[in-house]
Amino acid sequence: RRHLHGDDRVVLSDVTSKEAVIGVAGPRSPELLARVSSANLSDINFAPYTWKEIDVGHAVVRAARLS
């Protein structure tokens, strides 16, 4: 409360049921993703330990690169 000023307010929402995780891992995972996405997933454009929104089929997804 001490960080809120005036009419500031905080709203928390449980979005657990709106999210899902599908793990794609392994040395050939970039090849697989290249078949289903037009995103540039090169090392320069998608650095390790970052995330970005990419298209996969007809969906926009949040992709995280861990290594």
Side-chain angles (χ1 to χ4, degrees), residues 40-52 63-67:
N40 180 350
L41 302 176
S42 66
D43 290 343
I44 292 172
N45 194 48
F46 194 20
Y49 306 104
T50 62
W51 71 272
K52 65 191 306 184
R65 180 170 178 193
L66 301 181
S67 63

Side-chain angles (χ1 to χ4, degrees), residues 12-20:
L12 299 176
S13 300
D14 182 359
V15 297
T16 305
S17 64
K18 296 179 182 179
E19 301 283 331

Side-chain angles (χ1 to χ4, degrees), residues 5-6 9 11 17-18 26 28 32-35 38 42 48 55:
H5 304 288
R9 64 186 191 146
V11 177
S17 64
K18 296 179 182 179
R28 296 183 61 193
L32 173 63
L33 287 172
R35 294 179 68 184
S38 62
S42 66
D55 64 298

